[in-house]
Structure formats: structure tokens, C-alpha cells
Amino acid sequence: MIKKDLSFHIFEAESLEELSQEEQKLVLLAKEMTQKAYAPYSEFFVGAAVLLENGEVITGSNQENGAYPSGLCAERVAVFAASAMFPGIQMKVIAVSAKTTHLKIEEPVSPCGACRQVLLEYEVLQKAPIRVLLAKDDGKILIVEKVHDLLPLSFSGNDLKKNDPG
Ligand code: THU
């Protein structure tokens, strides 16, 4: 048996100024989008903004429902809309931000497992990394270079492809 180590990098920016202008705008948009969340049940308001290769920016916020599991996270609202509106156009960066009235958010909110899986699908499809920017209200930003880093040993749609019988 051999032991294998997996590793990835996270960059931490103390403030927005450490990011490119393009990414600064994206983070600000994600923060703005927390205001548009429909989250009456959790009161946890999440915003997301996706920058596409063609320069378009698509935003999303979490949308909840009285039948709880029917809601959707901000990240999936944003990437599904991006793929629906601009199918086949690469996603370069996604920024995510969260706000709540009843808790102090200590660390930047990080996408849930289901969102990681959905983001990974697009990353695998486009064969190019999607950068993930996780912003906190006080200005700190975590930067992950690609979705795969957030979901190692992942399952992807490629695993469903049948082998060529030859
Ligand atoms: N939520 C998101 O929108 N994104 C995340 O990364 C984590 C959680 C939403 C789902 C639900 O509406 C609320 O936050 C509480 O879990």
C-alpha cells in the first residue's frame, strides 16, 4: 500500500485591491447580489457572480422555498443561468459572498458539495479552470485556482461514458 498526498493552493487577499480590476468588480457584484437573495427561512443571504470568456457577467442569489429542498444556492442559480444564456461559453471566474443578520460569518462562505459538483461539470466540459473567489464582508478574500481543488477524487460525467467496444 502506498500513501498518496493531495495538495492544492489557496491564496488569501487581505483586501480587494490585491485583485485585478475585473475580479474586484466581480466580488462587489457578488456582495451586491446578497441583497437580492430570497432567503426568508435561513436568513443567510448569498450572492454569486460569474465572469464569462466573452466578458458577460451573470449573477445569482440563493432562492429558498417553503418546501425546503426546492430552493437553490446562489452559485447554482448563477452558473445554470450562465449556461442557459450562453451555452458553450467558458466560465472564467465565480465570486461568492454571504451575509446574515443573526450570525457573525467568521470565514468566507465556501460552495456546498452540490454546488462544487455542478461547477466541476462546467470546468471539465470547458477543459479550462474556473477560478473561485470567496469574499468576506470585512474584505478578506480566498482565491482557489480551480473548482477541482475544491472537489478532489471527484466523480464527473466522463465516468458515465461507455468504453468503446472496439
Ligand atoms: N447557500 C448558498 O446559496 N451558497 C452556499 O455556498 C451555501 C449555502 C444558501 C442555501 C440556503 O438558501 C442558505 O444558504 C442556507 O444554507
Side-chain angles (χ1 to χ4, degrees):
M1 194 186 302
I2 52 166
K3 182 181 167 207
K4 292 186 174 181
D5 292 320
L6 301 177
S7 67
F8 73 100
H9 304 288
I10 296 185
F11 298 86
E12 190 175 307
E14 280 309 314
S15 72
L16 268 184
E17 287 68 50
E18 291 180 50
L19 303 182
S20 68
Q21 295 275 334
E22 206 174 38
E23 292 194 345
Q24 288 186 29
K25 275 196 223 150
L26 208 65
V27 169
L28 290 174
L29 261 177
K31 285 184 185 222
E32 252 176 69
M33 285 306 292
T34 61
Q35 314 285 345
K36 298 191 177 162
Y38 173 64
Y41 305 104
S42 69
E43 294 181 358
F44 193 78
F45 308 99
V46 187
V50 184
L51 173 66
L52 304 183
E53 185 71 55
N54 64 2
E56 294 280 347
V57 174
I58 311 298
T59 54
S61 58
N62 55 328
Q63 301 294 316
E64 297 186 347
N65 188 277
Y68 291 166
S70 307
L72 205 58
C73 294
E75 296 91 324
R76 272 178 287 167
V77 170
V79 291
F80 283 153
S83 178
M85 292 162 78
F86 296 100
I89 305 292
Q90 278 191 15
M91 300 179 195
K92 285 172 65 183
V93 192
I94 181 169
V96 185
S97 183
K99 204 185 202 116
T100 176
T101 42
H102 57 287
L103 291 169
K104 182 162 167 30
I105 300 179
E106 298 291 345
E107 284 301 314
V109 73
S110 189
C112 75
C115 287
R116 291 175 195 214
Q117 187 71 43
V118 165
L119 284 163
L120 185 79
E121 176 100 10
Y122 295 115
E123 186 172 272
V124 169
L125 191 71
Q126 70 184 28
K127 298 191 178 76
I130 303 174
R131 267 162 77 80
V132 183
L133 312 178
L134 307 172
K136 219 185 121 181
D137 245 12
D138 69 2
K140 184 168 115 180
I141 300 133
L142 293 184
I143 300 138
V144 182
E145 292 172 304
K146 53 188 182 307
V147 176
H148 185 260
D149 290 341
L150 293 174
L151 202 61
L153 293 181
S154 51
F155 176 83
S156 95
N158 286 343
D159 297 320
L160 296 173
K161 290 200 177 122
K162 294 199 174 65
N163 290 329
D164 185 352

